[in-house]
Amino acid sequence: MRTLRIGNASGFYGDRFDALREMLTGGELDVLTGDYLAELTMLILGRDRLKDPGAGYARTFLRQLEECLGIAQERGVRIVANAGGLNPAGLATRVRELADRLGIAVRVAHVEGDDLTAAHPGSLAAHAYLGGFGIAECLRAGADVVVTGRVTDAALVTGPAAAHFGWGPTDYDRLAGAVVAGHVLECGTQATGGNYAFFADGDVRRPGFPLAELHEDGTAVITKHPGTGGFVDVGTVTAQLLYETQGARYAGPDVTARLDAVRLTQDGPDRVRVSGVRGEAPPPTLKVGLNKLGGFRNEVVFVLTGLDIEAKAALVRAQMEPVLGKVASARWELARTDRADAPTEETASALLRLVVRDPEQDVVGRALSGAAIELALASYPGFHVLAPPGKGAPYGVFEDVYVSQGAVDQVAVLHDGRRIPVAPAQDTAVLESLPEPPLPEPLPEAPLTRAPLGLVAGARSGDKGGNANVGVWARTDEAWRWLAHTLTVDRFRELLPEAADLTVTRHPLPALRALNFVVEGILGAGVAAQHRFDPQAKALGEWLRSRHMDIPEALL
């Protein structure tokens, strides 16, 4: 069967607005996907729904369609997006109304069944991660636009691929290939040079969005439209493949993909072939993301300038102590951004950040702001803050739980109103860790030089609930021989002291010349709780790359 060309036009709710038009007009496509959902997005949409029961979907998607629905119809491109969020039926209705107003005849379908909020009292939103076969049913029935709620990000690709190639639920290798392609596409321009460790390798001022050429056997080529910015090479694809994953088994509702089997090869300029992917039966359970309101938080950042930084910080902490005894949680962080004999006042200043949390808004609102501002003339010399503290804002807590595959009633709601039940996976396998794979021979002893790890290795990091993952890969076989034996869990903890007392698991992936580290609990209760300075661990990998190690001179 002919190659299926699937593009991506959104990696998150708020991504580049013009991307939908750029992808539709920049080259040939069969399907255009958009990923609008993340753990934090579901909380935001949940709060929207509290204010308006008819809300709960990504409004940006509708505005994009207003400009581009006609173009998609003219070019025969089907659109599949999870922009339905908490209300896919509502979004499908809005899309039909938009099409009628524009005079465009389109068939709009949606997938539902992921909403389990009623079964989890106290949750603002509780949604199961569905697979791609609901999307496939909609497309097989002729839908031009399919909107979903909480499906896995890769399902936006596996659904269209299953519909196009006629794959069934047990075509595991093929489905796994589509999962890997979908995972590479899901974050948009992160596959084309965005957020890339070696960004200087190309022009990434405005990277184009990625697309995948999928084949019937599950292999794919990752590329982008001609003439668009950024670049696609084995490194950019490796970085995205490691993003927000854990071990060699990458589990989903339809299939468990074996990441240790993936082979990446450069297939020409801006073309990377993905092959060798193996698939296994999916686990018997589905992940359910629970979003709850955790209470209220507030923060104030004190600016400490010039001399005696540590003493100034100690003074203001002591002055704030009486009021902080009344809050449930208070956390101080001193960022020594100052330097001696600085040429500007800003570079002579350090930042002392106080974050407070409590179930009661007043406790973190007036009490904090009053105590902080009253110090304006009564504290350390040069007292000022970046901004006055506000009245306290609600924060969220994310938790994942698991339910059996059969506990969720997934339904494809077709454009003509028919409701087609989507059966859960019948053959399943409990997810188990794989044995440690063989590593290459270590490098022979040689002269060493103290230098940043990032000179010989790339990294990309991200969040999964309260955990973070840091994928680290070598660019050459020789660098991999050194990395595989040197960057142990103990060394990782030494380099990143914030992980010193946390559970850290290392997963080697020799075929990718990569190590994937999972750091449990470093993000507290998830991104919405803003537990740390970098709440989504986006820069954790770059911090690791900046740390110095004894590196063989031959690698530098």
Side-chain angles (χ1 to χ4, degrees):
M1 300 182 70
R2 70 180 182 83
T3 299
L4 178 68
R5 292 173 62 88
I6 302 181
N8 170 283
S10 175
F12 68 100
Y13 190 11
D15 209 343
R16 197 157 83 214
F17 186 87
D18 293 337
L20 201 73
R21 176 182 290 274
E22 292 171 8
M23 289 301 290
L24 288 170
T25 59
E28 292 184 9
L29 284 178
D30 300 302
V31 178
L32 183 57
T33 67
D35 180 10
Y36 292 79
L37 302 184
E39 293 166 3
L40 180 61
T41 313
M42 299 298 280
L43 179 71
I44 293 169
L45 295 177
R47 292 176 62 186
D48 286 349
R49 190 170 60 174
L50 284 178
K51 301 172 187 175
D52 177 7
Y57 53 81
R59 293 185 175 90
T60 304
F61 177 68
L62 272 179
R63 300 206 314 271
Q64 290 173 303
L65 281 189
E66 188 163 10
E67 292 186 4
C68 300
L69 190 58
I71 300 173
Q73 279 296 94
E74 290 171 6
R75 294 176 173 249
V77 178
R78 292 173 159 185
I79 295 176
V80 179
N82 61 13
L86 278 60
N87 188 6
L91 178 57
T93 298
R94 300 288 89 78
V95 173
R96 293 186 189 99
E97 293 171 350
L98 172 65
D100 289 344
R101 179 162 57 83
L102 297 176
I104 302 171
V106 295
R107 293 163 292 194
V108 182
H110 73 275
V111 179
E112 58 185 40
D114 60 302
D115 192 345
L116 302 181
T117 306
H120 293 85
S123 296
L124 185 61
H127 290 75
Y129 288 70
L130 304 180
F133 281 100
I135 296 170
E137 288 285 356
C138 295
L139 293 173
R140 286 168 180 155
D144 302 301
V145 178
V146 181
V147 296
T148 76
R150 179 75 275 187
V151 297
T152 64
D153 301 335
L156 300 176
V157 170
T158 60
H164 179 76
F165 295 117
W167 295 339
T170 58
D171 286 319
Y172 295 135
D173 288 350
R174 294 173 171 85
L175 289 167
V179 164
V180 169
H183 179 59
V184 173
L185 295 188
E186 69 184 54
C187 289
T189 53
Q190 279 196 171
T192 57
N195 298 352
Y196 182 53
F198 305 107
F199 61 92
D201 286 355
D203 183 353
V204 295
R205 288 173 295 176
R206 188 181 173 86
F209 277 70
L211 64 93
E213 299 171 354
L214 270 78
H215 305 286
E216 196 276 336
D217 62 356
T219 61
V221 171
I222 307 299
T223 183
K224 62 187 185 70
H225 283 326
T228 56
F231 60 100
V232 179
D233 65 16
V234 168
T236 65
V237 175
T238 298
Q240 180 54 27
L241 191 55
L242 294 172
Y243 182 64
E244 294 183 347
T245 60
Q246 297 186 24
R249 283 191 164 110
Y250 185 56
D254 301 321
V255 66
T256 293
R258 290 285 297 270
L259 299 184
D260 57 340
V262 178
R263 298 294 186 272
L264 303 178
T265 52
Q266 200 71 37
D267 196 46
D270 293 321
R271 293 176 63 83
V272 172
R273 181 170 297 280
V274 183
S275 61
V277 187
R278 299 203 314 272
E280 300 171 342
T285 56
L286 296 178
K287 177 180 173 180
V288 179
L290 305 183
N291 285 277
K292 304 176 182 179
L293 292 177
F296 295 86
R297 72 180 297 280
N298 206 348
E299 70 175 74
V300 58
V301 180
F302 301 90
V303 183
L304 316 174
T305 304
L307 305 178
D308 307 316
I309 295 295
E310 299 287 344
K312 289 171 179 174
L315 173 59
V316 75
R317 289 185 64 161
Q319 290 177 308
M320 291 294 294
E321 199 60 40
V323 70
L324 296 183
K326 302 173 185 177
V327 304
S329 170
R331 180 170 176 165
W332 293 93
E333 289 185 25
L334 176 60
R336 294 300 303 265
T337 51
D338 59 300
R339 56 181 193 254
D341 195 21
T344 66
E345 182 178 337
E346 186 170 359
T347 56
S349 301
L351 302 178
L352 179 64
R353 181 172 179 246
L354 169 63
V355 178
V356 294
R357 292 183 175 83
D358 197 89
E360 301 297 327
Q361 186 172 18
D362 286 347
V363 174
V364 300
R366 296 190 191 95
L368 176 74
S369 58
I373 299 307
E374 287 170 7
L375 295 178
L377 305 179
S379 190
Y380 59 86
F383 179 99
H384 66 288
V385 297
L386 288 185
K391 61 182 180 180
Y395 70 90
V397 172
F398 179 85
E399 178 186 1
D400 52 31
V401 299
Y402 291 84
V403 299
S404 68
Q405 289 248 9
V408 176
D409 296 322
Q410 184 179 180
V411 178
V413 184
L414 307 185
H415 61 277
D416 57 9
R418 284 181 294 150
R419 300 175 62 84
I420 308 298
V422 180
Q426 297 302 306
D427 296 327
T428 62
V430 175
L431 198 66
E432 295 181 350
S433 298
L434 290 164
E436 183 91 358
L439 297 177
E441 287 293 318
L443 289 179
E445 291 189 13
L448 303 175
T449 296
R450 195 77 175 168
L453 171 62
L455 295 183
V456 296
R460 176 166 288 169
S461 55
D463 63 313
K464 279 294 182 185
N467 301 339
N469 96 289
V470 184
V472 186
W473 76 95
R475 305 183 87 181
T476 67
D477 289 338
E478 294 300 290
W480 168 239
R481 290 175 62 188
W482 172 79
L483 184 72
H485 293 279
T486 306
L487 192 56
T488 62
V489 167
D490 288 343
R491 183 63 59 84
F492 182 92
R493 287 197 179 104
E494 290 173 8
L495 296 173
L496 302 186
E498 287 184 35
D501 299 323
L502 301 175
T503 299
V504 178
T505 307
R506 185 180 102 146
H507 302 281
L509 297 166
L512 298 174
R513 296 193 298 232
L515 303 170
N516 206 357
F517 293 89
V518 179
V519 187
E520 297 182 22
I522 193 171
L523 303 180
V527 55
Q530 298 189 25
H531 177 74
R532 65 190 296 273
F533 169 69
D534 175 16
Q536 288 182 283
K538 295 291 189 182
L540 196 60
E542 286 302 293
W543 178 26
L544 179 67
R545 293 182 69 238
S546 74
R547 298 308 308 270
H548 287 220
M549 300 178 66
D550 293 324
I551 300 173
E553 291 180 359
L555 300 180
L556 298 172

